[in-house]
Amino acid sequence: MNESILLRLIVMYATLSLASVGGAPSIVPDLHRQVVDVLGWMSDRQFAETFALAQLAPGPNMMVTSLIGWRVAGLAGLLVSTLAIILPSSTLAFVFGRLYHRFAEAEWFPTFKAGLPPVVLGLMAASGFVTATVAVHDVLGGLLAAGAAVFATLSRRNPLWAIAVAALASIVASRLGIV
Amino acid sequence: MKADSGHRDAAQTASPSPERDETPHKVSPADLFTGFLQIGLYGFGGLAAISRHIIVDQRKWLNNQDYAALFGICQALPGGNVINVATILGDRFGGLAGSVAAVSGLFAMPLVLLLLLAAGYDQISGLPDVKAAMAGAAPAAAGLVVGTAIKMMRALKLSYMATGFSLVAFICVAMFRFPLVPTLAFLLPLCVAATFRERRR
């Protein structure tokens, strides 16, 4: 049983690794689709918590995949997930890195590169939206999500401030019995 | 996700600098490991800014211009931007061993801290205050991602055509919950082709 879970993790993450143009945000909606909707490994609430914890720790935000691996299959799941999400894309980067100057100086490269962000940013917004739909359970949550979105849009401060303030606001609200 | 992921950062760091990439330094795999260990460890809330700071300002492995060029390549490749930076820079200085050292350094401490955080959270997740904190933190973490996407779209001043592609990508994945791989396989080539057409005029 456990081995089939590990195999499933490897296949899922190795595929997503090659599709992760734009980094972790691009794959989060699909991660939720597979882990919660298709495989039923986690509830919506657990997924939202896992996502939030991964945001709080320092380091690459791809680690959300490591934490999901750990949640569903322990230490083996963590190791397998981390390697499966890194190796395919890094192998590709390794090869491209060796052909680096051909790309960096090619005439078509800037235009090619400019063609990626529209789709990538649409996926990023989708990632936030999907996570918000599973993380928001009440009016306060909705307000905090909207507030954090405005904060990130307008402010250049570290995004962790928004998470800290939201957590505090939520504690205060619950102590006052508002929520 | 974390607010600082790259497109904006690369634009800021692109200020020209006179010297070309001579890679004059002797950078060992051990240096690469510790350098990327720092990046991972200090990278709270996003790695792009701290990665530039350590690589360009502190360790002086690359100048601003070369870093921006490298970051540009890394954004165009699948995978986390800074993970790709570690892979390529590690290889440039130390071959395969350098790559492995850099990527391991990047993940070493954050993975340990994340596990401690998650284990700690599991211990106390039943407490009312912790439940309340998570009920606030999780929506905020999600909202940040949406805000970051909006901020980057504004900074890039996307054309109507490009904005259309953003919208279609968003609707496919967020509303219809289409799988990522076919969506990307369809939209990315189309968007790149449209960008080529738009620029040729």
Side-chain angles (χ1 to χ4, degrees):
Chain A
M1 180 62 191
N2 201 28
E3 268 152 39
S4 74
I5 290 182
L6 292 182
L7 194 66
R8 194 72 211 236
L9 281 169
I10 293 173
V11 172
M12 175 172 79
Y13 284 144
T15 311
L16 288 180
S17 174
L18 291 175
S20 63
V21 181
S26 299
I27 66 169
V28 166
D30 206 63
L31 218 49
H32 174 267
R33 187 185 66 84
Q34 297 202 46
V35 171
V36 178
D37 295 344
V38 178
L39 299 167
W41 283 345
M42 282 184 171
S43 67
D44 273 343
R45 182 180 287 272
Q46 287 168 323
F47 186 86
E49 286 177 3
T50 303
F51 179 81
L53 284 174
Q55 296 294 294
L56 286 172
N61 45 22
M62 277 292 182
M63 287 194 316
V64 66
T65 60
S66 313
L67 192 54
I68 290 174
W70 193 59
R71 290 287 198 218
V72 301
L75 192 59
L78 172 101
L79 294 175
V80 152
S81 301
T82 309
L83 287 176
I85 201 72
I86 295 174
L87 277 180
S89 61
S90 275
T91 305
L92 197 67
F94 190 87
V95 173
F96 272 63
R98 297 220 160 167
L99 308 169
Y100 178 73
H101 288 290
R102 271 188 236 174
F103 289 97
E105 281 151 32
E107 210 177 305
W108 53 266
F109 185 73
T111 311
F112 170 77
K113 209 185 146 246
L116 305 179
V119 175
V120 165
L121 293 178
L123 293 178
M124 191 176 187
S127 156
F129 181 84
V130 168
T131 327
T133 57
V134 300
V136 172
H137 305 292
D138 49 32
V139 176
L140 179 67
L143 288 176
L144 292 173
V150 172
F151 174 84
T153 308
L154 301 179
S155 165
R156 301 186 53 114
R157 282 177 175 275
N158 193 308
L160 291 183
W161 283 109
I163 297 184
V165 169
L168 265 179
S170 184
I171 291 175
V172 170
S174 95
R175 290 227 167 177
L176 295 177
I178 298 172
V179 179
Chain B
M1 222 166 214
K2 288 178 182 174
D4 234 280
S5 57
H7 296 279
R8 183 170 54 82
D9 190 71
Q12 282 168 0
T13 54
S15 59
S17 134
E19 67 267 43
R20 283 294 301 151
D21 177 20
E22 303 286 341
T23 56
H25 309 276
K26 279 269 180 284
V27 181
S28 70
D31 295 331
L32 287 161
F33 184 84
T34 57
F36 279 94
L37 194 74
Q38 278 178 300
I39 293 172
L41 203 49
Y42 300 151
F44 282 98
L47 288 182
I50 187 73
S51 152
R52 198 208 63 84
H53 175 71
I54 301 272
I55 292 172
V56 177
D57 300 335
Q58 200 179 29
R59 301 263 175 157
K60 305 196 192 311
W61 286 341
L62 294 176
N63 64 37
N64 245 327
Q65 191 184 8
D66 292 328
Y67 181 79
L70 174 62
F71 205 88
I73 300 261
C74 291
Q75 285 175 314
L77 291 167
N81 295 331
V82 178
I83 304 173
N84 288 340
V85 169
T87 305
I88 295 178
L89 202 59
D91 175 46
R92 207 188 285 177
F93 287 127
L96 184 59
S99 258
V100 172
V103 175
S104 322
L106 185 62
F107 275 86
M109 291 310 293
L111 271 182
V112 173
L113 289 174
L114 180 60
L115 284 192
L116 289 176
L117 185 71
Y121 174 75
D122 290 347
Q123 293 293 313
I124 57 170
S125 62
L127 299 178
D129 275 351
V130 176
K131 270 189 189 160
M134 184 50 92
L144 280 173
V145 180
V146 176
T148 305
I150 295 171
K151 183 204 284 199
M152 286 161 72
M153 284 176 190
R154 286 175 57 186
L156 284 173
K157 299 192 174 64
L158 297 183
S159 66
Y160 287 121
M161 182 277 292
T163 310
F165 272 102
S166 289
L167 261 177
V168 172
F170 177 83
I171 291 168
C172 286
V173 171
M175 304 291 172
F176 295 131
R177 305 307 312 272
F178 288 158
L180 175 66
V181 175
T183 307
L184 266 187
F186 182 69
L187 282 182
L188 264 189
L190 219 56
C191 188
V192 168
T195 309
F196 270 98
R197 262 198 77 190
E198 194 178 54
R199 295 238 169 147
R200 213 183 306 135
R201 286 197 209 131

